Amino acid sequence: MFQRLPNASGERVSFTIDGRAAEALSGDSVAAALIANGVQTCRATPVSGAPRAPYCMMGVCFDCLVTIDDVGNQQGCLVRVRPGMRVETQNGKREIER
Amino acid sequence: MSSPDVIVIGGGLHGCSAALHLSLRGVKVLVLEKDHIGRHASGVNAGGVRQLGRHVAEVPLTVASMALWHGIRDLVDDDCGFESHGQVKVAETEAELAICQARADQLRALGFTHEEVVDQAELRRLVPAIAEHCVGALVSRRDGAAIPYRTTFAFKRKAESLGARFVEGVTVTKIARDGKNWAVETSDGARHAAPILVNCAGAWADRIAAQLGEPVPLEAIAPMLMITARVPPFIKPVVGATGRTLSFKQFPNGTVLIGGGLLGRAYRDENRTDLDFAQIRTNARTVWDLFPVMRSATIVRAWAGIEARMPDDIPVIGPSGTEEGVYHAFGFSAHGFQLGPIVGRITADLITQGQTDLPIEPFRIQRFRRDAVAA
Amino acid sequence: MSDLKPRYDLAVIGAGPAGLAAATLAAQRGLSTVLLDEQRAPGGQIYRAVTQTPVKNPSVLGSDYWHGADLVGPFRDSGADYAPGSTVWSVSRSLDIGLSRDGAARVLPARHIILATGAIERPFPIPGWTLPGVMGAGAAQILLKTSGLVASGNVVLAGTGPLLWLLAWQYLRAGARIDVILDTTPRENWRQAMPHMGAFARSGYVAKGLKLLLEVRRKVKVIGNVTSLKAEGDGRVQSVLYRQGDGAEQRLPADTLLLHHGVIPNINLANATGCAQNWDEAQRCWVPTVDAWGATSVEGVSIAGDGAGIGGALAAEHRGRLAALDALHRLGVLDRATRDRDAAPHREALDKAQRGREFLDTLYSPAKDFRVPQDETIVCRCEEVTAKQVRDAVKLGVSGPNQTKSFLRCGMGPCQGRLCGPTVVEVIADARGVSPAEVGYYRLRPPVKPITLAELASLPKAEDEIAAVMHH
């Protein structure tokens, strides 16, 4: 659980998480935007199905993998959130064909 | 320790298999490995257990080895991750399909029936994800794949449990006759002696052969592989192509291995390989063409193992042409994994019985005598 | 920024203090220079988002953080090209850089390459560290810097090292709440660190560090001598179990558990390039082997900053400038005497910046029980391999991390060993009763970051690029 500092300034960005409308600040990475919106887990591991959430926030751990605008396995912490972006959390092995 | 009957140089799959088969017959074996077991080609190859498309000279051996693979747990107490879902060599054009048919006919004439041509419908049934333009395939249904390092390690452990001794991290520095024995000196300053020597030194085997007075034109190569992140299971058989270089298979854990023999660069004195991304790009293009579902797959790693290739692309198997009490098994030219179980048995046959029931004449080292002189 | 040139005299990889300083100096001295960075804005992790943080009150992040802006300005004016959002997945010995930007891959040749890949948090494997709600303290700091986000609810910090205390201080400045700090600094570290106290006392750290520590201790409950940690929860962390000394296990409610165990060099790219590396016993990590200029065993490849051994942000800046001067010398722009003369002030500044480092390394060296976790602890987060599986493999005769990788898939996942390598090495070394130096490290291979098949298949076939790839 994270919350935004009351005086944190920045431009608002509208995007969607699993189809639901969400808002972020323009400097947020996708992973930060998920956290800011109270998303608790962003994927389930392909090995055991265990839930995972961002761990390192700097491109190292690969626990923040999400699908962004239909492209899967993106490191959410390395992609800036953009207006209209469609972010989907990932459960289990990613479908390689839709 | 009591002195060994046989010293095997090289702890790859072939060295470990020779050690296992000899140990099964009560022969005392010492294996000398310069790095660690399965460090190079044996541990990092694509793991294809393939009869399909082999050189005609190898066919009797590959068929005999396949029988061992199908009972691999009985041999080494581990299933080695072996799964048999067949291997498929895809034809992208009618002309390629004709090549497949000619090959199947050739084998049938020689009395082998494991390769068959299938039409587009059967190809699609076997490999639903294959690109639509593919017209058919050559198929070997009992083929499959195993996990290379696990396999090599299982052969080692079984041999060890039967009394074979393995010394890792020591390089053979000198081989010399010492009466009835071979005296083998290693980089740690030790001296080992045994009446019989087996050269399974892979990409370094030519150096051993040269010390025995029979130089061979061996090339150290570095076949490249890459692997994807896990994806849902979508393919069972191992797939290759008729008109281009490819080996493609999905492990039970969902990762997909892409290779087929495109080469990086091997630096065998440094135990090092460099990848060649121009070649990897070609490999990626082939997959792009043949498996449209793979286009968004993520490649997590690429690598290359150091491997020996002979000019005629078939191995050296059998007794030395110059020295008594020396046997070779090397130069498998990037397709030795499936042959591992049987070649160890052949070497054990030669050592304990003086002969083997499989035709190994085409693999004799003497075939390079003229080349070597010319070189 | 504008498109990249077909080739550069110097490519610098990583836009933290070392990379910014190196690229700035090199470009000012006339080298065609490009700075490639995975992030979208300059600063690296230490100065992350320094040009655009939403945290506008300067006292929250502190003056050390804002120093980063002093590096960005000169860099922007230096004439160096800047390619943010570039993931470098390969550096070859022939000095070709494989990189991806905006979904397209390319190969970029350079005459010299400076790796400034910085540090990563040392993995801190405890039972439950994979649960959502458990993060690195560095991750929380990045969320603060980039997004003005702070943990809420019950917040527990656990571990050891300067960054842990700095984060706590920044949280307090920001008005955020921390329930408890579980300090895992081993008692005996104080005694071992004392001989290094003199140098530390003469460094710039002391006054600043003490003030910060006292402020945190005044406002937050600190439980010291913590010897075991466990995160528990159903689907996410709900509580933290800890033990103080050899006391009974205690339980704390936690919505967020922030772990920190110090930082180690991010060596993946250097390792995959083939740079020789050595085990650093003091910092307990593998470090690339470099000379006084940061030059590695691979001709034309240097490393600057924490990527060549942890020295901190200020040291990184000076190490960047020294590496750049050496690159200028190697490329024939500066003769040796000029290089050495121009390097003198940077060397002096580097010595000053590194003063007291032994004290910090020794004091904050993590306890063995946290480096060599218990059996049930997951060591490889990607493939979910436990410490017990690694130990069992050692019992079967597996002697090093490359074999456990082949045997257990440990280190084969997308993080490519970054979060398990250090632990696997420690576990194997401990099980075998030898030094990690003897056990070795993963042989890493490009791509060091995952790349899509589509990107690989679309690598341009431009003549000079292919020639560059083929060249060796």
Side-chain angles (χ1 to χ4, degrees):
Chain A
M1 295 196 302
F2 278 73
Q3 64 186 35
R4 200 81 72 171
L5 292 175
N7 52 358
S9 57
E11 216 175 295
R12 307 266 150 200
V13 175
S14 295
F15 70 111
T16 63
I17 303 171
D18 294 331
R20 297 183 313 276
E23 220 175 55
L25 287 187
S26 61
D28 286 349
S29 64
V30 168
L34 290 175
I35 288 170
N37 281 277
V39 174
Q40 308 239 342
T41 68
C42 61
R43 68 179 193 116
T45 64
V47 180
S48 72
R52 291 283 172 88
Y55 180 78
C56 78
M57 292 303 294
M58 54 181 280
V60 172
C61 75
F62 290 79
D63 267 333
C64 63
L65 295 180
V66 287
T67 298
I68 300 173
D69 292 338
D70 295 328
V71 183
N73 283 344
Q74 304 288 298
Q75 287 184 274
C77 72
L78 292 180
V79 180
R80 280 269 176 91
V81 68
R82 287 185 300 271
M85 188 179 251
R86 285 171 292 117
V87 180
E88 292 161 80
T89 54
Q90 289 187 181
N91 285 308
K93 298 172 193 182
R94 185 167 69 86
E95 296 292 334
I96 58 167
E97 190 185 32
R98 296 159 193 284
Chain B
M1 103 155 212
S2 58
S3 61
D5 303 317
V6 176
I7 293 174
V8 175
I9 301 171
L13 179 58
H14 289 280
C16 291
S17 178
L20 169 60
H21 286 283
L22 286 164
S23 300
L24 283 167
R25 299 173 196 195
V27 177
K28 280 188 291 181
V29 184
L30 170 66
V31 180
L32 301 173
E33 163 55 46
K34 76 181 184 64
D35 296 302
H36 61 73
I37 298 303
R39 161 71 173 84
H40 295 285
S42 295
V44 301
N45 67 74
V49 179
R50 173 177 64 82
Q51 304 174 92
L52 183 65
R54 282 186 178 270
H55 191 288
V56 173
E58 289 180 351
V59 171
L61 276 62
T62 195
V63 169
S65 209
M66 211 65 213
L68 294 178
W69 275 104
H70 278 270
I72 198 74
R73 181 181 278 285
D74 298 332
L75 185 62
V76 297
D77 301 336
D78 188 303
D79 69 18
C80 301
F82 174 63
E83 289 199 349
S84 173
H85 299 293
Q87 292 225 9
V88 175
K89 196 175 197 179
V90 172
E92 296 182 71
T93 61
E94 291 298 336
E96 288 181 7
L97 195 59
I99 295 171
C100 293
Q101 188 60 59
R103 162 74 182 187
D105 294 344
Q106 180 196 20
L107 283 196
R108 209 157 290 260
L110 293 169
F112 297 103
T113 57
H114 58 278
E115 294 187 15
E116 58 177 296
V117 171
V118 302
D119 64 10
Q120 193 172 41
E122 175 66 357
L123 169 60
R124 193 103 335 125
R125 193 187 69 77
L126 290 169
V127 190
I130 199 75
E132 295 203 348
H133 72 276
C134 298
V135 295
L138 190 62
V139 172
S140 176
R141 294 184 192 265
R142 269 167 65 84
D143 290 9
I147 299 175
Y149 180 77
R150 179 167 158 191
T151 301
T152 306
F153 198 55
F155 272 80
K156 181 239 182 184
R157 275 188 292 150
K158 183 65 189 280
E160 209 169 25
S161 75
L162 295 168
R165 201 162 72 88
F166 289 78
V167 181
E168 299 174 71
V170 298
T171 306
V172 169
T173 50
K174 192 177 169 203
I175 298 168
R177 265 270 174 226
D178 181 11
K180 289 172 79 174
N181 275 338
W182 288 100
V184 178
E185 292 177 22
T186 48
S187 50
D188 58 344
R191 266 177 72 96
H192 307 277
I196 309 278
L197 208 56
V198 180
N199 177 14
C200 295
W204 295 263
D206 57 331
R207 294 178 178 172
I208 305 294
Q211 288 201 48
L212 299 164
E214 44 190 348
V216 287
L218 176 154
E219 184 192 2
I221 58 169
M224 297 186 293
L225 292 165
M226 54 183 156
I227 196 158
T228 70
R230 291 165 197 255
V231 295
F234 72 100
I235 184 171
K236 289 280 194 185
V238 181
V239 176
T242 308
R244 13 187 188 181
T245 305
L246 178 72
S247 166
F248 182 93
K249 76 145 183 278
Q250 185 171 32
F251 284 106
N253 67 23
T255 58
V256 177
L257 185 70
I258 301 165
L262 289 173
L263 300 181
R265 290 175 290 271
Y267 302 88
R268 58 177 173 165
D269 290 322
E270 300 168 52
N271 270 354
R272 185 167 71 78
T273 56
D274 278 353
L275 302 178
D276 182 337
F277 278 95
Q279 294 287 319
I280 284 181
R281 171 187 170 279
T282 302
N283 220 183
R285 278 273 160 98
T286 300
V287 174
W288 174 281
D289 290 344
L290 291 181
F291 292 100
V293 297
M294 288 294 293
R295 291 178 182 181
S296 64
T298 314
I299 305 296
V300 294
R301 230 156 7 95
W303 69 94
I306 303 181
E307 154 85 273
R309 181 166 72 188
M310 308 311 295
D312 50 7
D313 271 320
I314 57 172
V316 172
I317 304 170
S320 160
T322 52
E323 296 286 352
E324 283 290 302
V326 177
Y327 300 84
H328 298 289
F330 65 83
F332 287 86
S333 308
H335 51 259
F337 185 62
Q338 191 270 352
L339 294 174
I342 197 65
V343 174
R345 206 208 76 195
I346 290 170
T347 303
D349 286 348
L350 294 172
I351 290 170
T352 61
Q353 300 163 13
Q355 57 177 23
T356 180
D357 56 0
L358 284 160
I360 57 166
E361 173 68 17
F363 309 112
R364 52 206 290 276
I365 193 168
Q366 291 92 329
R367 73 185 193 271
F368 295 116
R369 263 189 190 157
R370 202 191 43 217
D371 290 4
V373 170
Chain C
M1 190 156 278
S2 62
D3 273 348
L4 300 179
K5 298 189 179 82
R7 60 185 67 233
Y8 286 90
D9 293 333
L10 176 68
V12 180
I13 299 166
L20 284 169
T24 304
L25 189 149
Q28 285 169 344
R29 298 280 191 119
L31 291 185
S32 72
T33 302
V34 63
L35 177 57
L36 305 166
D37 191 38
E38 194 168 39
Q39 302 299 332
R40 294 280 164 182
Q45 302 308 329
I46 192 84
Y47 305 130
R48 184 83 182 254
V50 72
T51 54
Q52 48 189 210
T53 178
V55 184
K56 300 298 182 199
N57 176 353
S59 72
V60 171
L61 294 170
S63 58
D64 287 352
Y65 170 77
W66 291 104
H67 170 64
D70 303 341
L71 296 174
V72 176
F75 167 69
R76 294 226 193 268
D77 298 336
S78 70
D81 282 350
Y82 173 49
S86 300
T87 294
V88 171
W89 41 264
S90 171
V91 167
S92 76
R93 285 171 184 257
S94 45
L95 307 186
D96 295 311
I97 299 166
L99 65 99
S100 294
R101 280 180 86 196
D102 302 323
R106 59 169 293 173
V107 173
L108 180 68
R111 294 170 65 209
H112 192 94
I113 297 172
I114 295 177
L115 309 181
T117 52
I120 59 174
E121 284 190 86
R122 183 193 298 276
F124 195 165
I126 60 168
W129 72 310
T130 54
L131 284 171
V134 182
M135 300 179 99
Q141 199 183 39
I142 288 166
L143 283 168
L144 174 60
K145 290 171 182 170
T146 61
S147 302
L149 285 165
V150 292
S152 57
N154 292 120
V155 180
V156 178
L157 266 66
T160 185
L163 191 146
L164 188 81
W165 299 100
L166 175 60
L167 176 71
W169 182 82
Q170 290 170 330
Y171 259 42
L172 296 174
R173 289 285 170 125
R177 205 175 66 90
I178 297 163
D179 286 55
V180 176
I181 294 176
L182 298 172
D183 183 355
T184 63
T185 311
R187 280 264 159 86
E188 65 271 19
N189 282 12
W190 280 101
R191 187 174 39 76
Q192 282 157 5
M194 274 311 142
H196 305 294
M197 188 57 159
F200 182 66
R202 283 181 280 112
S203 75
Y205 301 121
V206 175
K208 217 182 292 178
L210 271 180
K211 187 163 163 273
L212 185 149
L213 273 180
L214 288 175
E215 189 174 332
V216 172
R217 284 182 174 275
R218 209 165 47 232
K219 294 184 178 162
V220 183
K221 179 176 177 188
V222 177
I223 297 173
N225 197 26
V226 168
T227 54
S228 84
L229 279 172
K230 188 191 270 185
E232 280 187 345
D234 183 14
R236 61 169 290 115
V237 65
Q238 288 160 324
S239 55
V240 179
L241 274 74
Y242 70 94
R243 208 184 286 278
Q244 192 173 25
D246 47 16
E249 201 162 53
Q250 311 277 324
R251 185 187 302 268
L252 284 169
D255 297 303
T256 302
L257 171 62
L258 302 176
L259 296 172
H260 185 70
H261 219 168
V263 295
I264 57 175
N266 182 6
I267 61 173
N268 277 45
L269 187 54
N271 179 311
T273 303
C275 300
Q277 54 187 29
N278 58 275
W279 172 255
D280 184 326
E281 183 65 27
Q283 298 192 337
R284 288 210 77 85
C285 55
W286 284 93
V287 295
T289 307
V290 296
D291 69 10
W293 303 94
T296 71
S297 64
V298 174
E299 183 65 35
V301 177
S302 322
I303 307 178
D306 278 354
I310 302 303
L314 285 179
E317 201 179 297
H318 306 304
R319 290 157 93 186
R321 295 187 184 111
L322 291 170
L325 285 170
D326 191 45
L328 283 153
H329 167 59
R330 285 166 185 261
L331 295 176
V333 179
L334 297 184
D335 61 28
R336 181 179 293 267
T338 311
R339 175 196 69 175
D340 294 351
R341 191 197 63 218
D342 291 359
H346 304 305
R347 242 180 234 300
E348 195 178 321
L350 174 61
D351 286 347
K352 189 164 169 249
Q354 283 179 325
R355 219 177 277 156
R357 175 55 50 184
E358 292 88 350
F359 178 80
L360 294 175
D361 288 344
T362 313
L363 178 62
Y364 293 123
S365 181
K368 185 185 162 195
D369 286 351
F370 292 120
R371 289 182 281 105
V372 184
Q374 331 157 23
D375 273 352
E376 76 272 25
T377 309
I378 286 176
V379 297
C380 170
R381 295 171 65 98
C382 297
E383 294 292 327
E384 300 182 55
V385 178
T386 65
K388 180 174 196 310
Q389 286 173 276
V390 175
R391 289 194 177 99
D392 287 348
V394 173
K395 279 182 204 146
L396 284 178
V398 167
S399 57
N402 290 297
Q403 297 97 298
T404 53
K405 182 160 108 182
S406 301
F407 204 60
L408 300 170
R409 292 194 49 79
C410 183
M412 277 204 190
C415 101
Q416 300 178 327
R418 287 169 176 87
L419 277 173
C420 68
T423 311
V424 168
V425 165
E426 293 260 20
V427 170
I428 295 174
D430 177 66
R432 289 181 50 200
V434 299
S435 160
E438 200 172 313
V439 168
Y441 195 72
Y442 290 135
R443 280 189 304 281
L444 301 170
R445 294 312 192 92
V448 298
K449 296 288 290 250
I451 171 174
T452 64
L453 187 92
E455 286 174 288
L456 270 183
S458 69
L459 271 177
K461 216 179 179 178
E463 283 290 293
D464 63 336
E465 289 187 3
I466 294 302
V469 177
M470 304 292 283
H471 170 264
H472 58 281

